[in-house]
Amino acid sequence: MSQNSIRSRLRRAAWQITPAPILHLVFGARLRGMGRLIDAAAIKGARRIDVPGVSIACCQLDLADGTVIVSTPPSHNNVKITHAARRKLGLGPEYAKALVDLVVRYSYPHAMVPVLRIPVVDRERGGFHLQHRNLPQETSDFSASTRAFLETHFTPQPGWNILDIGCYLGHGTTRLAQIVGPQGRVIAVEAIPENATIAAFQIGQNGLPQAEVINRAIWREAGATVAMHRTENQANAIADDVVASSQTIDLPTTSIAELTGMLGRAADLVSLTVNGAEVEAIDSLDTMPPDLRPWRMVMPGWYPNDAGPRSKPIVAKLQALGYQTLVTSHNFVIAWRLGT
């Protein structure tokens, strides 16, 4: 085991055993951003709820604008990260994950990475995802003209058709559906059955008939069966080099080609958050007429394989299909085809 791996494990162990007040005292600057954004959210109420068809204990945040955020039990990290913010709001630990999801999945969804600006500096983003690091609109890695192009062409618009693949509990799907409005459409795909049920419930609670959830695993072809590796937290993946677990479930698959058929035209945006199955997902584009391939695609490319980060084969594949691509220093892949 490398020294970096040992240090990483020791840091995680220290985090787990250190009480939340001490963590906030020692790492206050690192955790400040999450607290500030929770404080700024217009939370009107919070309550525990039962989601039909799901045995998991869930809770709900009600926002002042009528938006509903539904979430599941928190991890130890969620509880510790939100300690100070929950004290201000008078909320118990059961609401910790809902507060984190409100910030990192609803307010700043993965599908909108090319255009996001987060009003806290990077060093204060403890508890955020890798997608929120070195954002294109906040970095000097790209020119001002490139950032302007991304903002113009990747900001979701009313009437867009979007595929939100790997939607988890549907927080980002909810945000996207609110943006595209009744003239648009969002098809969300989630492999884990209970997550898909909660996502569909959340969309229903928010009154968004333009969105729907498909309980399938994304793959290069529809109608197949793949084994999904599962853990007790949010780490689930088809790729066993990303998530290794003795617990697997067999899941039916869908594909970008099949989902595009459901839309009836090329998707304006495809967001892939599929923990290492990105290459297999975009293999489906080979079977599609060029004019039906997605106009825009965004996805993580940092998951490693034998040849390095998956961004390399992702970019090679997309460029071979005629896409223009950008890759951030964190290996987040942004792609579009000419005519966008």
Side-chain angles (χ1 to χ4, degrees):
M1 185 182 296
S2 70
Q3 288 187 346
N4 284 340
S5 178
I6 292 171
R7 283 195 291 267
S8 178
R9 290 192 177 194
L10 288 173
R11 283 195 297 268
R12 286 197 297 270
W15 180 279
Q16 291 290 336
I17 65 175
T18 304
I22 296 177
L23 282 177
H24 281 261
L25 181 65
V26 177
F27 300 105
R30 185 67 178 154
L31 302 176
R32 188 177 299 137
M34 183 70 72
R36 283 174 54 192
L37 293 173
I38 292 172
D39 291 345
I43 299 172
K44 185 175 66 174
R47 54 197 171 94
R48 299 180 186 183
I49 61 169
D50 293 322
V51 175
V54 174
S55 60
I56 302 169
C58 294
C59 66
Q60 176 175 310
L61 299 178
D62 299 314
L63 306 188
D65 67 358
T67 299
V68 170
I69 302 295
V70 178
S71 196
T72 49
S75 68
H76 291 302
N77 280 350
N78 296 150
V79 173
K80 291 182 177 182
I81 288 168
T82 61
H83 174 75
R86 285 187 295 102
R87 288 187 64 186
K88 291 181 182 179
L89 291 168
L91 295 178
E94 66 270 25
Y95 295 101
K97 185 172 176 299
L99 293 170
V100 173
D101 287 340
L102 166 62
V103 173
V104 303
R105 297 182 186 277
Y106 174 76
S107 299
Y108 302 101
H110 299 165
M112 294 176 62
V113 162
V115 301
L116 291 181
R117 293 181 179 86
I118 302 177
V120 295
V121 295
D122 190 75
R123 65 177 178 274
E124 295 181 349
R125 294 181 191 173
F128 281 76
H129 300 161
L130 275 177
Q131 283 92 333
H132 300 111
R133 308 289 184 192
N134 200 36
L135 290 167
Q137 296 297 331
E138 298 177 345
T139 179
S140 59
D141 292 352
F142 302 132
S143 66
S145 61
T146 296
R147 294 195 298 272
F149 172 86
L150 292 176
E151 186 157 24
T152 298
H153 293 278
F154 279 82
T155 300
Q157 299 295 317
W160 271 22
N161 283 358
I162 298 176
L163 301 179
D164 186 18
I165 301 174
C167 74
Y168 187 44
L169 303 182
H171 302 104
T173 305
T174 297
R175 178 75 186 281
L176 293 170
Q178 290 171 332
I179 293 171
V180 304
Q183 302 306 313
R185 191 175 179 191
V186 181
I187 298 178
V189 178
E190 172 54 39
I192 303 302
E194 57 266 35
N195 291 349
T197 299
I198 295 169
F201 177 82
Q202 179 158 214
I203 289 165
Q205 291 293 94
N206 281 286
L208 298 167
Q210 62 267 38
E212 62 183 297
V213 179
I214 307 296
N215 179 206
R216 293 286 187 273
I218 195 69
W219 199 239
R220 58 173 58 93
E221 59 183 347
T225 301
V226 295
M228 174 75 70
H229 298 263
R230 298 195 62 178
T231 66
E232 294 302 318
N233 53 31
Q234 300 159 28
N236 308 295
I238 296 171
D240 60 8
D241 59 342
V242 174
V243 174
S245 170
S246 59
Q247 182 185 2
T248 62
I249 56 173
D250 291 333
L251 296 169
T253 65
T254 186
S255 66
I256 293 175
E258 181 177 62
L259 296 167
T260 300
M262 295 172 62
L263 290 175
R265 65 178 177 86
D268 294 289
L269 173 65
V270 172
S271 172
L272 285 167
T273 309
V274 292
N275 294 356
E278 295 81 13
V279 175
E280 290 79 5
I282 63 176
D283 277 347
S284 176
L285 273 59
D286 287 332
T287 68
M288 300 172 63
D291 63 329
L292 287 180
R293 291 170 184 159
W295 287 105
R296 306 160 186 82
M297 302 187 75
V298 294
M299 68 200 77
W302 52 70
Y303 298 107
N305 60 19
D306 293 340
R310 279 177 166 82
S311 59
K312 294 181 179 180
I314 290 170
V315 166
K317 178 75 174 178
L318 291 173
Q319 289 183 348
L321 292 171
Y323 282 86
Q324 307 294 304
T325 60
L326 288 173
V327 182
T328 72
S329 61
H330 278 71
N331 284 301
F332 189 86
V333 180
I334 303 166
W336 66 97
R337 61 181 174 97
L338 296 178
T340 301

